[in-house]
Amino acid sequence: MAIDLNLDIDDTGAVVCRHCGATVGASVADPLGHAVRHERPSVEAGPAVHAAPSEFVDRDVVLRQAFCPGCLALVFTEIVPAGEPSYRVWSLT
């Protein structure tokens, strides 16, 4: 079953990459459990995110991304305050 352009649910219930077949999450309850995660300054998100967060907020802001552990296809992105848990916590159950 397709979740989106990058992820499927296989016959065992695992979340797998549609590009290479690697397991990104062992189950729909933790769909990104095996993803490779990377966090960096939010201004590295691209030209549309060029202002320093310090001009608007008192906290550091980061770009968080998760990638397929097999082929490194990008499967998740968010810009959030540093040190905060993910705002886009999701489950397919």
Side-chain angles (χ1 to χ4, degrees), residues 5 10 19 45 65 83:
L5 295 175
D10 72 8
H19 306 284
Q65 295 180 304

Side-chain angles (χ1 to χ4, degrees), residues 5-92:
L5 295 175
N6 295 310
L7 301 173
D8 280 333
I9 300 172
D10 72 8
D11 294 339
T12 69
V15 177
V16 296
C17 177
R18 293 183 80 180
H19 306 284
C20 72
T23 301
V24 180
S27 71
V28 295
D30 187 19
L32 300 175
H34 299 299
V36 174
R37 298 176 188 271
H38 185 63
E39 189 172 289
R40 55 196 170 135
S42 61
V43 295
E44 292 185 25
V49 185
H50 54 81
S54 61
E55 295 180 26
F56 304 100
V57 295
D58 294 334
R59 299 171 67 187
D60 289 335
V61 177
V62 295
L63 167 67
R64 289 186 185 150
Q65 295 180 304
F67 302 88
C68 166
C71 67
L72 297 178
L74 179 63
V75 295
F76 176 84
T77 298
E78 67 180 354
I79 296 177
V80 295
E84 290 288 326
S86 177
Y87 284 112
R88 293 179 55 200
V89 174
W90 52 279
S91 171
L92 302 173

